[in-house]
Amino acid sequence: MRDGIGNGRDALPRVRAILSGLADVVWPRTCAVEACGRPVDRPRGHICSACFAALPFHEPGGACRICGMPVPAKTPHVFVCEACAANPPPYERTCSAVDYAAPLDMLVQAFKYNRASWLAEDFAELLDGAVRAHLDRAAVDAVFPVPLHPNRLRKRGYNQAALLARALARRLNRRCDERSLVRIRDTPKQSLLGADERRQNLKGAFAAVRPQFVRGRVVLLVDDVTTTGSTLAAAAEPLRAAGAAHIWCATLARAPHDS
Ligand SMILES: [Zn+2]
Ligand SMILES: [Zn+2]
């Protein structure tokens, strides 16, 4: 009986692959980058290989090891920025796959606000590449999306960070934990605030409600875009208090900020 269930599970990805192959024949996918127009030549992806290769990738060695802030000149050594050295954030490492620049910014906007959830696989591939390049991929115990407040979730209908975390967790063959970290305060939008205001705005916004799933674990916190790292820091704080062994962060994109 158990074998039967196991085989059924194994067959599911094959069935999915066959169905998606058939769908490609009936409805060939066009690259999600608007100006491109080429057919998609990557399995399960919606960005063609030429556009995918041309995305503004981050290279290792070009950012602070802790917060991921890019450095003006590439350093061959492990680099820790002044802010992290003076006041270390509650997470140990951050990596981002790409810069928040064209054409990725439009795709992220569509993913976040226009239900373009079909981009999750392309984005998870980018995230997975960043995790491989910057972190110890095999050491990760669980993937945690940065949660939305229930009010925001109701309005938007889905959490874009959770879509990314689920797709990444499948690739890492790890658990995606969407219940242990919650957002308990509905905070005003971050985008109009400076770095200090962002930190204040997010104080006490998150809580670890199932500490038994955090204690002693290597947690990979996932979000779509990071700017100052203040959301990641606020989300990591209760994870650290709950006794996570390591807290690492992976974001799809890093946006520049002025402050
Ligand atoms: Zn393309
Ligand atoms: Zn730093």
Side-chain angles (χ1 to χ4, degrees), residues 64-69 79-85 89:
C64 167
R65 179 183 166 87
I66 298 177
C67 70
M69 198 63 75
F79 175 80
V80 173
C81 76
E82 260 177 52
C84 288

Side-chain angles (χ1 to χ4, degrees), residues 1-23:
M1 204 52 190
R2 272 177 179 272
D3 280 358
I5 293 168
N7 287 341
R9 263 195 199 155
D10 292 345
L12 204 60
R14 280 204 298 274
V15 171
R16 266 199 206 125
I18 292 167
L19 286 178
S20 107
L22 279 176

Side-chain angles (χ1 to χ4, degrees), residues 9 62 114-116 121 128 130 156 165 182 185-186 235 237 256:
R9 263 195 199 155
N114 288 330
R115 299 180 174 268
E121 281 303 327
D128 194 11
R156 195 178 294 169
V182 296
R185 272 201 315 115
D186 194 7
E237 194 67 67

Side-chain angles (χ1 to χ4, degrees), residues 30-41 46-52:
T30 304
C31 179
V33 176
E34 214 169 36
C36 171
R38 279 178 286 236
V40 178
D41 51 353
H46 287 82
I47 301 173
C48 79
S49 55
C51 290
F52 197 87

